[in-house]
Amino acid sequence: MTSTWLITGATSGFGRLVAERALAGGAHVIAIGRRRDRLAELADQAPRGQATTVPQDSPRV
């Protein structure tokens, strides 16, 4: 059975590393981050259907 990981901050740093490792291990990753371009890169690198991206915009004050 495939595991599913919900990872926040998946566009850079530790969150990106965890997302890449989880994908490499065959997990389905729900990746959340603010940078749409980096989320798209992550999804493009993942096997088809293995990554779901959720862009979140930070509120502007």
Side-chain angles (χ1 to χ4, degrees):
M1 184 161 144
T2 303
S3 62
T4 300
W5 292 48
L6 174 66
I7 302 170
T8 60
T11 56
S12 65
F14 188 67
R16 179 64 177 238
L17 178 66
V18 171
E20 290 172 347
R21 296 278 172 94
L23 288 166
H28 175 252
V29 171
I30 302 170
I32 300 173
R34 293 183 295 188
R35 304 259 331 250
R36 291 177 188 266
D37 56 332
R38 292 196 178 178
L39 286 174
E41 289 173 8
L42 184 66
D44 289 342
Q45 294 171 359
R48 183 179 171 99
Q50 200 170 325
T52 302
T53 60
V54 181
Q56 296 292 308
D57 293 327
S58 60
R60 294 183 187 235
V61 178

